[in-house]
Amino acid sequence: MYTARTPEFEVIKAGNAQAREEVARFLARNGLGIDDDISQFIVALYQRQIIACTGIAGNTLKCIAVDSGWRGSSLILTLIHEAELLAAQNGEHQLFLFTCPDNVKSFRGCGFYPLVTVNNCAALMENTPVGIHRYCSQLRSHHFVPGKNIGAIVMNANPFTLGHQYLIEHAASQCDWLHVFVVQEDVSAFSFKERFAMVRDGSRHLKNVTIHPGSAYIISRGTFPGYFLKDKQVIDKVYAAIDLMLFRNYIAPALNITHRFVGTEPFCQLTAEYNRAMHHWLENATSTAACIHVHEIERRTDGNDVPVSASAVRRLLKENQIAAASRMVPATTRAFLNNGGQHQPRLSESLSAAV
């Protein structure tokens, strides 16, 4: 150990190709990959050589590695502290990290606390012991509705289609109350603000529905790390497990949710696998929390008996087939389509009049 020697710390922006390549080589020597959504790295240098690093991607610390010669020293503690300071400068105070279960003890020493651990694959940790409990307490105090059958839907709604509306209407008809969570991360064609407004406006006619903004505890597939899980299939399975067990163990009990609804998935194999994972992790997996019954609802179809999907709407918009896209969304969504979303070109003013 080089505990008597003092490393220097530097911030590297991910856009610095040469420096990023040095970080990538260091991570590879330590058996790790590198995630594309990292915006900054904190690196520890000794004699101008990288001896430790961590990446920052929004509110998540990723790609954490310490050279073998420095393990067992206080370097990891200092590294995480430096990363927390930088994240705070970016406006991020609630931080998460994903790691191998073998590393949980080390990161507990850095002030992180485990939320969910999946087999021997991965653990999700947070830099406070009370964060998720505070969130669930707020959910319960502001949104708890008594009832025997309380349902939930988690959706991205990119954009909100007639299919989404049908799913909410069907679920609401089966429940005393329905909670709909809109994924919060802005990794979609339409911004979170737009997507949330689309879902809210398209559900106003239902009196037993609450539309919730998503939270950091409803994980986006787009931000889930893959740097220490090299196999794509393993990454997808672990993502589903962590996301679903967070929901079952914490969010569902706060609102007494007993049912979760999802549309069938005829197009995307990845989403279809997630639907199958729901049955395992919410209904069958061992947990101290009660099981949640999963209901797969057959998708609404268009006039040609083709299931309505948000991806089809986005494709039609890209091809400027405005009338066809308009037929797949409720009237409350058309105004947002006319604005095109934050990553879409502005569409013709004729969209609002299209049938």
Side-chain angles (χ1 to χ4, degrees):
M1 296 187 299
Y2 303 121
T3 52
R5 303 178 188 182
T6 304
E8 300 175 346
F9 291 87
E10 289 187 3
V11 178
I12 294 174
K13 293 185 177 180
N16 183 332
Q18 181 177 351
R20 188 180 188 278
E21 180 57 32
E22 287 185 43
V23 172
R25 287 197 294 268
F26 171 76
L27 289 170
R29 289 196 299 272
N30 287 274
L32 299 176
I34 189 168
D35 279 358
D36 292 334
D37 60 342
I38 293 174
S39 59
Q40 296 167 299
F41 293 93
I42 291 281
V43 297
L45 301 170
Y46 183 71
Q47 296 181 345
R48 302 312 299 167
Q49 299 295 314
I50 297 176
I51 57 170
C53 79
T54 183
I56 298 177
N59 65 352
T60 304
L61 304 186
K62 298 183 174 185
C63 300
I64 304 168
V66 176
D67 182 81
S68 59
W70 288 79
R71 293 170 193 167
S73 71
S74 61
L75 178 57
I76 184 64
L77 182 63
T78 309
L79 176 71
I80 296 299
H81 177 67
E82 293 288 332
E84 288 181 302
L85 290 176
L86 180 58
Q89 292 175 21
N90 298 339
E92 300 286 357
H93 300 277
Q94 179 188 23
L95 297 179
F96 298 86
L97 64 81
F98 296 85
T99 187
C100 299
D102 291 344
N103 296 332
V104 166
K105 184 177 179 180
S106 294
F107 289 119
R108 284 196 73 122
C110 299
F112 279 75
Y113 300 83
L115 294 173
V116 175
T117 300
V118 177
N119 301 329
N120 296 316
C121 295
L124 170 64
M125 306 184 73
E126 182 181 15
N127 67 338
T128 170
V130 299
I132 196 162
H133 302 291
R134 185 188 302 119
Y135 169 70
C136 290
S137 177
Q138 291 171 346
L139 272 182
R140 189 171 184 86
S141 62
H142 295 299
H143 302 293
F144 178 81
V145 179
K148 183 178 180 181
N149 295 309
I150 305 298
I153 297 172
V154 176
M155 62 173 53
N156 199 31
N158 182 39
F160 185 70
T161 68
L162 288 170
H164 293 113
Q165 190 177 62
Y166 171 75
L167 177 62
I168 292 175
E169 289 173 341
H170 178 89
S173 73
Q174 304 298 306
C175 297
D176 299 318
W177 202 266
L178 178 69
H179 297 276
V180 179
F181 296 86
V182 182
V183 174
Q184 196 163 34
E185 285 91 347
D186 273 325
V187 293
S188 302
F190 291 84
S191 70
F192 165 70
K193 183 177 179 181
E194 291 170 319
R195 292 183 290 105
F196 182 84
M198 284 186 240
V199 179
R200 178 198 63 205
D201 294 351
S203 307
R204 285 191 189 278
H205 60 294
L206 300 169
K207 304 305 180 186
N208 64 331
V209 175
T210 299
I211 309 300
H212 299 268
S215 71
Y217 303 108
I218 295 177
I219 304 168
S220 166
R221 190 188 300 275
T223 59
F224 187 77
Y227 68 94
F228 66 92
L229 298 167
K230 304 297 178 61
D231 188 312
K232 183 67 168 60
Q233 288 186 333
V234 172
I235 293 171
D236 293 333
K237 288 179 179 178
V238 172
Y239 154 74
I242 287 180
D243 187 48
L244 293 167
M245 290 307 284
L246 273 175
F247 187 85
R248 177 175 174 178
N249 291 348
Y250 298 100
I251 297 172
L255 296 171
N256 196 30
I257 291 167
T258 52
H259 300 268
R260 183 150 163 183
F261 296 83
V262 65
T264 55
E265 181 48 67
F267 301 119
C268 177
Q269 180 63 29
L270 206 57
T271 305
E273 287 289 345
Y274 185 86
N275 286 0
R276 284 190 282 273
M278 275 193 199
H279 290 282
H280 174 71
W281 294 106
L282 298 185
E283 293 179 326
N284 301 318
T286 302
S287 172
T288 56
C291 72
I292 300 168
H293 303 288
V294 178
H295 306 267
E296 289 192 67
I297 309 304
E298 199 69 32
R299 284 203 187 201
R300 177 170 175 168
T301 58
D302 63 13
N304 297 315
D305 208 30
V306 175
V308 174
S309 71
S311 58
V313 172
R314 295 195 303 273
R315 175 179 55 78
L316 290 168
L317 294 177
K318 187 176 182 181
E319 297 170 356
N320 207 32
Q321 296 188 48
I322 296 169
S326 183
R327 286 193 291 269
M328 300 179 83
V329 301
T332 50
T333 293
R334 291 174 192 157
F336 295 94
L337 297 191
N338 195 49
N339 289 330
Q342 62 181 7
H343 301 309
Q344 298 275 2
R346 185 170 179 82
L347 302 175
S348 165
E349 294 297 330
S350 65
L351 176 59
S352 58
V355 178

